[in-house]
């Protein structure tokens, strides 16, 4: 597993090079390793790795706890459909998705995401992206991930955007159905 972690950290660093002049600075290799180690310990953790002659991509995450604890820090009102999918255990949080660009497989990231969602019988994928990371936000939005709001961790200075990926026919959480619920915003209401 240690060799795999090193390969994944390499992929993280290579796939997240910051463009010259971009004010956003990607998390360090050590930051990735710390976060990955934490996520690996979460119940239901799963990962998809795509390989050719080397690791080409990977996506990992875990089921969103039905108690709604993952959403603590969401600023505003959580859409009702997302609240319901969380309570029913049909939401999956992506910790990270990294893919090396490859001309023969431009849909590798999407296929990796879909595989994890299918294996967990999830109807909704969710991820947090640093709001300063314009490249990642643009890429996910262009691939059908709607942005539903802001998320702030109580102990951290970073503000995140919350993006979700409704899954095809298995979910009622289509874009037009992302209805906000009154109250405190967390699963089950205030």
């Amino acid at each position: 597993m240690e060799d795999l972690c090193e390969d994944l950290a390499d992929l993280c660093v290579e796939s997240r090079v910051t463009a010259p002049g971009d004010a956003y600075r990607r998390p360090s290799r050590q930051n990735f390793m710390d976060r990955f180690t934490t996520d690996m310990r979460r119940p239901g953790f799963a990962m998809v790795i795509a390989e050719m002659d080397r690791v080409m991509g990977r996506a990992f995450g875990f089921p969103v706890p039905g108690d709604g604890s993952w959403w603590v820090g969401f600023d505003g009102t959580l859409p009702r459909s997302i609240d319901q999918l969380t309570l029913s255990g049909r939401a999956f949080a992506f910790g990270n998705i990294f893919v090396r660009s490859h001309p023969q497989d431009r849909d590798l990231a999407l296929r990796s995401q879909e595989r994890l969602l299918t294996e967990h019988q999830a109807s909704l994928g969710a991820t947090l992206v640093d709001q300063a990371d314009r490249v990642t936000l643009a890429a996910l939005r262009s691939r059908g991930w709607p942005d539903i709001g802001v998320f702030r961790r109580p102990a951290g200075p970073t503000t995140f955007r919350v993006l979700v990926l409704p899954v095809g026919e298995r979910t009622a959480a289509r874009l037009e159905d992302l209805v906000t619920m009154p109250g405190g915003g967390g699963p089950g209401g205030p």
Side-chain angles (χ1 to χ4, degrees), residues 17-182:
V17 174
T18 305
D22 190 345
Y24 175 70
R25 293 290 163 235
R26 305 265 181 214
S28 69
R29 178 187 183 90
Q30 188 59 51
N31 178 277
F32 164 78
M33 295 293 284
D34 293 344
R35 187 166 165 212
F36 182 67
T37 301
T38 298
D39 284 349
M40 279 190 332
R41 294 183 180 122
R42 294 180 187 267
F45 173 84
M47 180 169 49
V48 171
I49 299 172
E51 291 182 293
M52 291 175 117
D53 56 339
R54 61 186 177 150
V55 175
M56 294 303 294
R58 62 114 179 100
F60 68 82
F62 47 88
V64 173
D67 65 3
S69 58
W70 192 81
W71 297 105
V72 172
F74 184 78
D75 186 16
T77 304
L78 192 67
R80 179 180 300 139
S81 56
I82 293 173
D83 178 57
Q84 292 168 345
L85 289 169
T86 298
L87 290 170
S88 69
R90 309 260 334 243
F92 187 84
F94 285 94
N96 259 311
I97 305 157
F98 294 123
V99 175
R100 283 186 176 99
S101 61
H102 192 277
Q104 293 175 333
D105 196 348
R106 294 192 174 135
D107 293 330
L108 185 58
L110 182 59
R111 288 188 303 115
S112 298
Q113 295 160 21
E114 288 175 346
R115 181 160 179 192
L116 282 173
L117 293 171
T118 299
E119 287 178 0
H120 282 83
Q121 298 178 356
S123 296
L124 182 80
T127 194
L128 304 176
V129 178
D130 185 324
Q131 74 177 7
D133 187 353
R134 293 188 194 120
V135 172
T136 300
L137 287 170
L140 289 172
R141 288 172 180 150
S142 74
R143 288 183 168 85
W145 287 73
D147 185 327
I148 64 165
V150 173
F151 184 95
R152 293 180 181 88
R153 290 193 173 115
T158 305
T159 299
F160 297 92
R161 299 302 308 177
V162 181
L163 284 83
V164 295
L165 181 65
V167 178
E169 299 300 316
R170 293 196 313 253
T171 184
R174 302 221 193 295
L175 299 180
E176 63 271 10
D177 296 332
L178 292 178
V179 192
T180 57
M181 62 180 202

